[in-house]
Amino acid sequence: MSIKTLVISTDMPDAVAQAVAVLTAGGLVAFPTDTVYGVGAHALLPDAVKRLFAAKVRPEGKAIPLLLGEAADLERVSCDVPALAWRLIAALWPGALTLVVPRGPLLPDIVTAGGPSVAVRLPDHALPRTLAQRLGAPLAATSANLSGQAAAITADAVLAQLDGRIELLLDGGPCAGGVASTVVDLTVQPPAILRPGALDLARLRRLLAAD
């Protein structure tokens, strides 16, 4: 069923409060990040995450990454965090680095598609970090587009694909990055770069080689 998508500027004084209210109620919110626009749900509410899959027409066998409020939140969603993760975090977070790490028991199965790992990132953008902090939970978030379609770097591009599918769109203007994050899997040895993205690969490889 189609819903009414409200669009508000991130400059509005109550923008964050409205977004947190929607997320707390199990709704979906799209927002700018340092890479592209994302769309997110409360990661600890399985029904909300299920709605995220439906809104994007995303296969439920494809896990959803998490956006954190601060680096220390990694220990809430992961267990047995490898030492390499903390070294990469010290060098590259907040930023366009997504780390795949062992999942923790707090996460609903739907977030990880029942798998043993979870992808996490601390974005270099105050808005999604603030949303997660105010929510008191990570955001299950992925690019704000229909599955398989081009990522959106403007609010208009988000609306063109997700209008009527999400409750709220926070319009913060064009995303400065425009390129998706780089994904590194730390659950395998040696670590694997699953998706090149916005990070300087030469620098990343040097950091990985120093392990």
Side-chain angles (χ1 to χ4, degrees), residues 161-205:
Q161 298 191 58
L162 298 182
D163 189 17
R165 293 174 173 270
I166 63 176
E167 279 80 3
L168 181 62
L169 167 57
L170 299 178
D171 184 353
C175 290
V179 179
S181 66
T182 300
V183 181
V184 178
D185 188 351
L186 298 183
T187 68
V188 296
Q189 194 57 242
I193 299 174
L194 301 183
R195 181 182 71 191
L199 283 184
D200 181 328
L201 281 183
R203 183 186 181 199
L204 176 59
R205 289 189 174 112

Side-chain angles (χ1 to χ4, degrees), residues 15 19 32 44 46-47 50 53 59 83 97 110 116 151 154 159 174 177:
L44 306 184
D47 287 345
K50 187 172 184 179
F53 277 99
L97 172 67
I110 191 170
T154 67
L159 207 59

